[in-house]
């Protein structure tokens, strides 16, 4: 079994490596000290099991799971007991509360080996959805563009456009795509920051300059950079309500 | 409890005020009766003096029957009887007094005035009694409400104090568990470092628990506590955490409420250093200026990272403590700019300062 350690604290990484020595069937393939590095190394080494801390600089443990394309089994290691429920929602094999004993660690490894032998991976979509929930309102969005991982703070997004199964995030002149529905994004984003102005558009309200009437009863939103977006009647009503 | 006899000064003030007020009423009533201004005013002044003495005595029935506790019928009966008795006593004393006055010829009309207007005076006596009863009752009720309010206020302050003390004694459990985890890790790889870590942790806890029991501590002790805390965190964070303390000895001697600084330092680590991949340096500085002590904690922040839970709790705790200890004389300001978060505390130097 290929194992990867992700923890921002060096002593914690050393302890896991030491505990692992008692498991000759396990091979330590990589160690990461922060989220983005973890995603990068996991893509390269394809571990079967990830021993994952939750509170880390860069991406936190749940975000690492969300960002991974190749998904390993996960055992969370953390000093916080308040994430346990969410950890099992995202299909974690086990949840180790720091500090934990070698015996407790061996137990978790046994569970992981069983799961691996059974080929028992929980449905991917439900994991990702669960990882995204509970962190709302989102303060940043993870997405891949041309093979690279981007962490996009929501305040940098101008607007989001629906394109089939994808959501297209417009940032200045660039557009980054992610497989996610606009409806789901609308639920996850802060409703005071983003408004659904149209079936196909979620607008960052701080970018709005004004509305313009272009035909009887139908409007366009003019953004501060001059971009024009269609506005539905319901969308207009929603923004008016927010503006009070 | 309120009493007109609480201080001699108060008693004289009361007597004087009553004499003046009732004297004016009596002059107004007696002067138009055609007995001459000298006779009217002399009689009024002496009767007013008697009335002042009697009104003081009215305090006792009022205290025995506070309006808040007795029913209306009982009150009316008691004070009706009191008024009749007081008025008769007043007239009896007036009888003696006016006879005395009549011994001097020019004041003979005063005696006549008294004899002719006894009925009027009897009514005035009743009214004076009622006025005095009102004054005393009002004073008693007012004082009672004040006392209840003070008691409520002091209970409130006590509850707030207890709450703050509980918060002060509270140690971040995640800090404890993470530190113990590091300690467990070091036991295998570096037993000497593990021992050093255990001792540092013990130092921190001892200082922290000790500080929670004090009323005021020298800032130097606060800075040592911060160092002990940062030393422990340094084992976990490694190179990512560094810090600088800048305080001259004169600032270190200044007295401050204990654990004033600690929540700010813990915040700087939790919300400043921990979420940053590259870590950073925390600057803690303190300087004395005239009658004030200025403390600043500055840490780098990663604006892109989401706020961790618990942000703001430490700051509001420090704000509460400042308000309780110094009222409006202390200030807490925060500023976030250029990827830096800065907390500035200004507190007055305590009068108990050694220097």
């Amino acid at each position: 079994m290929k194992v990867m350690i992700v923890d921002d604290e060096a002593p914690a990484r050393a302890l896991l490596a030491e505990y692992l020595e008692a498991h000759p069937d396990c091979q330590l393939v990589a160690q990461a000290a922060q989220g983005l590095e973890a995603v990068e190394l996991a893509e390269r080494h394809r571990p079967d099991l990830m021993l994952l801390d939750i509170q880390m600089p860069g991406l936190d443990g749940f975000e690492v799971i969300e960002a991974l394309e190749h998904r390993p089994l996960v055992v969370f290691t953390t000093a916080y007991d308040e994430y346990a429920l969410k950890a099992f929602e995202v299909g974690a094999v086990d949840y180790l509360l720091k500090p934990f004993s070698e015996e407790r660690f061996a137990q978790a490894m046994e569970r992981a080996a069983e799961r691996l032998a059974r080929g028992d991976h929980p449905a991917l979509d439900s994991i990702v959805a669960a990882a995204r929930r509970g962190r709302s309102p989102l303060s940043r969005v993870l997405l891949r563009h041309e093979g690279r991982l981007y962490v996009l703070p929501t305040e940098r997004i101008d607007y989001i456009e629906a394109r089939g199964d994808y959501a297209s995030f417009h940032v200045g002149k660039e557009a980054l795509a992610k497989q996610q529905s606009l409806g789901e994004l609308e639920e996850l984003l802060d409703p005071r920051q983003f408004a659904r102005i149209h079936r196909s558009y979620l607008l960052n309200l701080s970018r709005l300059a004004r509305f313009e009437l272009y035909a009887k009863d139908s409007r366009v939103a003019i953004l501060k950079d001059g971009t024009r977006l269609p506005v539905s009647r319901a969308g207009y009503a929603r923004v008016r309500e927010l503006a009070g | 409890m309120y009493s007109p006899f609480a201080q001699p000064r108060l008693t004289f003030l009361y007597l004087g005020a009553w004499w003046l007020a009732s004297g004016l009423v009596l002059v107004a009533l007696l002067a138009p009766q055609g007995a001459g201004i000298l006779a009217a005013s002399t009689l009024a002044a002496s009767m007013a003096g008697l009335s002042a003495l009697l009104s003081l005595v009215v305090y006792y029935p009022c205290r025995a029957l506070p309006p808040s506790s007795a029913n209306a019928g009982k009150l009316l009966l008691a004070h009706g009887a009191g008024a009749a008795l007081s008025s008769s006593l007043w007239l009896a004393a007036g009888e003696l007094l006016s006879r005395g006055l009549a011994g001097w010829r020019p004041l003979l009309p005063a005696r006549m005035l008294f004899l002719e207007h006894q009925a009027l005076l009897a009514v005035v006596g009743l009214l004076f009694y009622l006025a005095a009863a009102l004054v005393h009752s009002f004073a008693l009720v007012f004082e009672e409400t004040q006392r209840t309010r003070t008691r409520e206020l002091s209970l409130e302050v006590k509850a707030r104090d207890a709450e703050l003390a509980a918060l002060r004694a509270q140690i971040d459990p995640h800090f404890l568990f993470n530190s113990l985890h590091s300690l467990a890790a070091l036991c295998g790889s570096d037993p000497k470092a593990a021992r050093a870590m255990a001792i540092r942790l013990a130092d921190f806890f001892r200082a922290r628990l000790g500080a929670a029991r004090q009323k005021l501590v020298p800032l130097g002790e606060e800075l040592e506590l911060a160092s002990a805390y940062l030393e422990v965190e340094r084992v976990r964070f490694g190179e990512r955490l560094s810090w600088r303390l800048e305080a001259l000895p004169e600032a270190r001697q200044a007295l401050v409420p204990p654990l004033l600084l600690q929540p700010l330092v813990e915040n700087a680590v939790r919300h400043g250093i921990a979420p940053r991949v590259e870590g950073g340096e925390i600057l803690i500085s303190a300087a004395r200026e005239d009658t004030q002590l200025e403390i600043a904690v500055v840490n780098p922040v990663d604006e892109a990272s989401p706020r961790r839970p618990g942000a703001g709790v430490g700051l509001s705790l420090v704000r509460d403590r400042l308000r309780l200890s110094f009222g409006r004389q202390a200030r807490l300001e925060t500023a976030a700019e250029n990827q830096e978060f800065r907390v500035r505390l200004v507190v007055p130097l305590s009068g108990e300062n050694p220097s």
Side-chain angles (χ1 to χ4, degrees):
Chain A
M1 188 161 45
K2 290 194 287 182
V3 181
M4 180 174 167
I5 294 173
V6 184
D7 198 308
D8 60 323
E9 294 166 20
R13 288 196 300 274
L15 182 72
L16 285 172
E18 189 195 321
Y19 281 179
L20 265 178
E21 280 169 20
H23 300 258
D25 52 325
C26 291
Q27 181 199 351
L28 178 60
V29 292
Q31 295 195 37
Q34 43 119 331
L36 277 173
E37 189 189 5
V39 174
E40 211 172 282
L41 288 174
E43 299 289 300
R44 201 180 319 150
H45 295 281
R46 299 288 172 101
D48 301 304
L49 172 67
M50 191 180 263
L51 303 171
L52 184 58
D53 188 13
I54 294 179
Q55 288 279 13
M56 286 184 297
L59 304 182
D60 70 25
F62 292 110
E63 285 171 319
V64 168
I65 292 187
E66 190 193 334
L68 283 176
E69 283 195 323
H70 156 85
R71 204 171 308 272
L73 295 171
V74 173
V75 169
F76 283 110
T77 66
T78 177
Y80 294 74
D81 53 6
E82 52 263 46
Y83 298 115
L85 197 67
K86 205 176 146 201
F88 288 108
E89 266 181 28
V90 303
V93 173
D94 210 337
Y95 189 84
L96 296 176
L97 272 175
K98 292 174 179 176
F100 47 83
S101 67
E102 199 163 355
E103 290 73 27
R104 182 69 187 81
F105 176 75
Q107 204 183 352
M109 293 302 287
E110 211 170 288
R111 278 184 200 168
E114 270 171 33
R115 278 273 276 270
L116 196 67
R118 266 189 283 149
D120 174 14
H121 282 243
L124 230 141
D125 289 345
S126 72
I127 293 180
V128 171
R132 283 175 186 156
R133 265 199 314 273
R135 238 197 347 262
S136 57
L138 281 185
S139 59
R140 56 190 180 181
V141 176
L142 298 183
L143 40 81
R144 277 172 195 283
H145 186 69
E146 289 165 0
R148 279 205 55 200
L149 183 68
Y150 287 85
V151 182
L152 184 61
T154 53
E155 64 262 22
R156 285 192 49 213
I157 301 169
D158 299 329
Y159 63 97
I160 309 167
E161 185 183 358
R163 291 210 164 157
D165 289 349
Y166 282 82
S168 180
F169 293 80
H170 292 262
V171 181
K173 294 212 179 322
E174 270 189 285
L176 303 160
K178 182 182 188 183
Q179 198 172 9
Q180 196 167 9
S181 79
L182 221 52
E184 193 189 346
L185 280 166
E186 189 185 1
E187 251 174 61
L188 293 172
L189 290 164
D190 186 348
R192 286 162 303 177
Q193 196 184 3
F194 286 88
R196 187 83 174 260
I197 54 163
H198 185 268
R199 188 164 43 86
S200 304
Y201 291 97
L202 258 173
L203 173 65
N204 183 343
L205 289 170
S206 67
R207 302 297 199 274
L208 178 67
R210 64 182 188 281
F211 287 109
E212 223 166 66
L213 203 66
Y214 83 90
K216 183 176 180 298
D217 232 19
S218 94
R219 291 179 168 81
V220 283
I222 315 286
L223 308 199
K224 284 176 183 156
D225 65 359
T227 308
R228 300 164 74 90
L229 298 177
V231 181
S232 66
R233 210 182 302 172
Y236 179 68
R238 231 170 274 147
V239 177
R240 293 304 305 237
E241 203 176 301
L242 274 173
Chain B
M1 190 183 271
Y2 152 79
S3 158
F5 308 108
Q7 298 163 4
R9 214 166 62 97
L10 189 70
T11 315
F12 284 119
L13 200 72
Y14 179 88
L15 280 173
W18 194 271
W19 178 74
L20 200 68
S22 59
L24 284 174
V25 170
L26 287 169
V27 166
L29 286 173
L30 297 175
Q33 308 301 331
I37 193 67
L38 177 69
S41 53
T42 311
L43 184 66
S46 37
M47 291 299 283
L50 291 172
S51 169
L53 289 171
L54 273 171
S55 77
L56 264 181
V57 182
V58 178
Y59 166 71
Y60 292 101
C62 289
R63 196 183 65 176
L65 274 177
S68 52
S69 64
N71 65 41
K74 212 164 142 192
L75 268 177
L76 215 66
L77 205 70
H79 283 304
L85 184 68
S86 157
S87 181
S88 332
L89 271 172
W90 190 45
L91 280 185
E95 166 70 27
L96 294 174
L97 207 111
S98 61
R99 256 192 230 166
L101 290 179
W104 189 43
R105 263 203 85 72
L107 283 183
L108 196 59
R111 168 73 178 156
M112 305 307 293
L113 200 58
F114 177 80
L115 288 174
E116 272 166 37
H117 297 287
Q118 279 200 43
L120 175 72
L121 287 171
V123 174
V124 169
L126 288 174
L127 293 175
F128 279 174
Y129 174 91
L130 292 177
L134 269 177
V135 167
H136 290 303
S137 296
F138 265 123
L140 282 165
V141 168
F142 179 75
E143 204 254 2
E144 175 68 22
T145 3
Q146 283 295 97
R147 220 151 19 114
T148 318
R149 246 183 75 78
T150 317
R151 205 177 316 132
E152 273 166 11
L153 270 179
S154 79
L155 276 178
E156 213 170 281
V157 167
K158 267 190 201 129
R160 194 92 193 91
D161 264 350
E163 193 184 318
L164 279 177
L167 275 170
R168 247 162 39 178
Q170 204 175 69
I171 286 159
D172 178 13
H174 303 123
F175 165 72
L176 176 60
F177 293 135
N178 275 319
S179 301
L180 288 174
H181 191 66
S182 302
L183 187 58
L186 288 172
C187 284
S189 58
D190 190 348
K192 278 199 172 154
R195 186 182 299 157
M197 170 102 176
I199 291 168
R200 276 193 199 119
L201 255 182
D203 283 344
F204 169 73
F205 277 86
R206 192 170 291 120
R208 166 108 201 196
L209 295 171
R213 284 195 288 267
Q214 310 281 321
K215 272 234 169 299
L216 286 170
V217 295
L219 181 69
E221 278 181 28
E222 282 281 289
L223 293 174
E224 275 164 35
L225 180 67
S227 301
Y229 171 78
L230 290 165
E231 294 276 355
V232 173
E233 291 287 56
R234 165 92 182 176
V235 176
R236 288 172 52 204
F237 289 106
E239 297 290 315
R240 287 173 57 216
L241 172 64
S242 60
W243 66 90
R244 250 183 321 147
L245 296 182
E246 287 176 1
L248 292 175
E250 51 167 29
R252 286 174 183 268
Q253 285 166 7
L255 294 178
V256 294
L259 299 178
L260 190 66
L261 194 56
Q262 191 61 21
L264 302 179
V265 178
E266 290 181 15
N267 269 355
V269 174
R270 194 177 313 139
H271 304 297
I273 305 301
R276 264 169 74 96
V277 172
E278 63 274 38
E281 185 183 65
I282 298 173
L283 171 64
I284 304 168
S285 61
R288 257 179 100 147
E289 271 169 35
D290 301 329
T291 59
Q292 290 186 323
L293 178 66
E294 196 181 314
I295 307 169
V297 178
V298 185
N299 62 265
V301 282
D302 186 356
E303 273 143 18
S305 79
R307 279 160 69 88
R308 295 199 171 188
V313 176
L315 275 181
S316 67
L317 175 64
V318 173
R319 260 202 195 96
D320 280 353
R321 303 213 46 217
L322 283 180
R323 204 171 34 231
L324 253 153
S325 303
F326 303 110
R328 286 174 180 212
Q329 289 177 285
R331 285 202 307 281
L332 184 149
E333 293 155 7
T334 62
E337 52 182 1
N338 302 330
Q339 309 256 5
E340 223 180 50
F341 187 74
R342 171 185 293 270
V343 183
R344 190 165 153 266
L345 276 179
V346 181
V347 299
L349 285 170
S350 165
E352 295 164 61
N353 266 316
S355 58

